[in-house]
């Protein structure tokens, strides 16, 4: 597609339930990143993929968080047994190979997750 | 420990005047610096960047200045327009090895008053 697509755009879930967030990157972009922005905070790195591999998972806050990417394209971020502190906007970004300073990342519009 | 700091959560500027947004960093190994702009309910969009080998990069109304010795960069918007009202994030790139993730600051909310 023309841009990075994320779904759903909004998700309200009950504490303790599992949620899945989806990201469709720009076609041909090999690198895919997940960040989240909690209220009053900056963009917190969660995980990134190069192809289907995740070289850096260091940002995942706990073992309740996991992510996968299939076919070098779509990625799914799963949060198990959601807690209220998981409430945030989850942003996905992708970028093409090449000088980062020229291209930056292209972000999706995010999924606003609210855990009640 | 925050490696990229934007110490001003918000800034108000009159239309037509200059907006200056500041960013400090702690890691002297950062290679590239980028600014992103974010409107409500949208993802951040890439605005302008600078390599660590330069001290200035200009693109239309936007100029980014880098002071490596002070580990400080700033974004100047001249003249400021109401449509510039948004949250601006400073980001830094660790030394390139693959696609090492950008490190972002907390953002500065700019309000341009007509």
């Amino acid at each position: 597609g023309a841009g990075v697509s994320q779904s759903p755009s909004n998700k309200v879930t009950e504490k303790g339930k599992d949620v899945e967030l989806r990201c469709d990157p720009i076609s041909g972009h090999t690198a895919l990143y997940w960040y989240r922005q909690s209220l009053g905070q900056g963009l917190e790195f969660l995980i990134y993929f190069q192809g289907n591999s995740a070289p850096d998972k260091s940002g995942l806050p706990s073992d309740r968080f996991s992510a996968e990417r299939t076919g070098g394209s779509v990625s799914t971020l799963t949060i198990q047994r959601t807690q209220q502190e998981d409430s945030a906007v989850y942003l996905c970004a992708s970028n093409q190979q090449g000088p980062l300073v020229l291209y930056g990342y292209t972000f999706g519009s995010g999924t606003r997750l609210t855990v009640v | 420990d925050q490696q990229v700091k934007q110490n001003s959560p918000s800034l108000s500027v009159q239309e037509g005047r200059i907006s200056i947004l500041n960013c400090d960093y702690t890691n002297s190994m950062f290679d590239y610096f980028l600014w992103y702009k974010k409107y409500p309910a949208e993802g951040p969009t890439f605005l302008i960047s600078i390599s660590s080998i330069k001290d200035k990069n200009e693109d239309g109304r936007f100029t980014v200045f880098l002071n490596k010795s002070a580990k400080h960069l700033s974004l100047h918007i001249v003249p400021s327009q109401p449509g510039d009202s948004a949250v601006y994030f400073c980001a830094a790139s660790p030394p390139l090895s693959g696609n090492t993730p950008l490190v972002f600051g907390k953002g500065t909310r700019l309000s341009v008053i007509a």
Side-chain angles (χ1 to χ4, degrees), chain A residues 14 32 35 72 76 90 100 113:
Chain A
E14 290 182 353
L32 184 149
Y35 286 81
T76 303
Y90 288 80
L100 181 64
L113 175 66

Side-chain angles (χ1 to χ4, degrees), chain A residues 14-50:
Chain A
E14 290 182 353
K15 179 181 171 181
K17 295 284 178 89
D18 298 352
V19 294
E20 280 191 357
L21 312 180
R22 177 187 168 105
C23 173
D24 279 278
I26 293 173
S27 178
H29 281 197
T30 56
L32 184 149
Y33 305 82
W34 284 98
Y35 286 81
R36 74 175 177 181
Q37 185 182 16
S38 304
L39 192 63
Q41 299 299 311
L43 298 177
E44 176 190 3
F45 167 72
L46 298 177
I47 186 172
Y48 98 91
F49 290 90
Q50 181 62 42

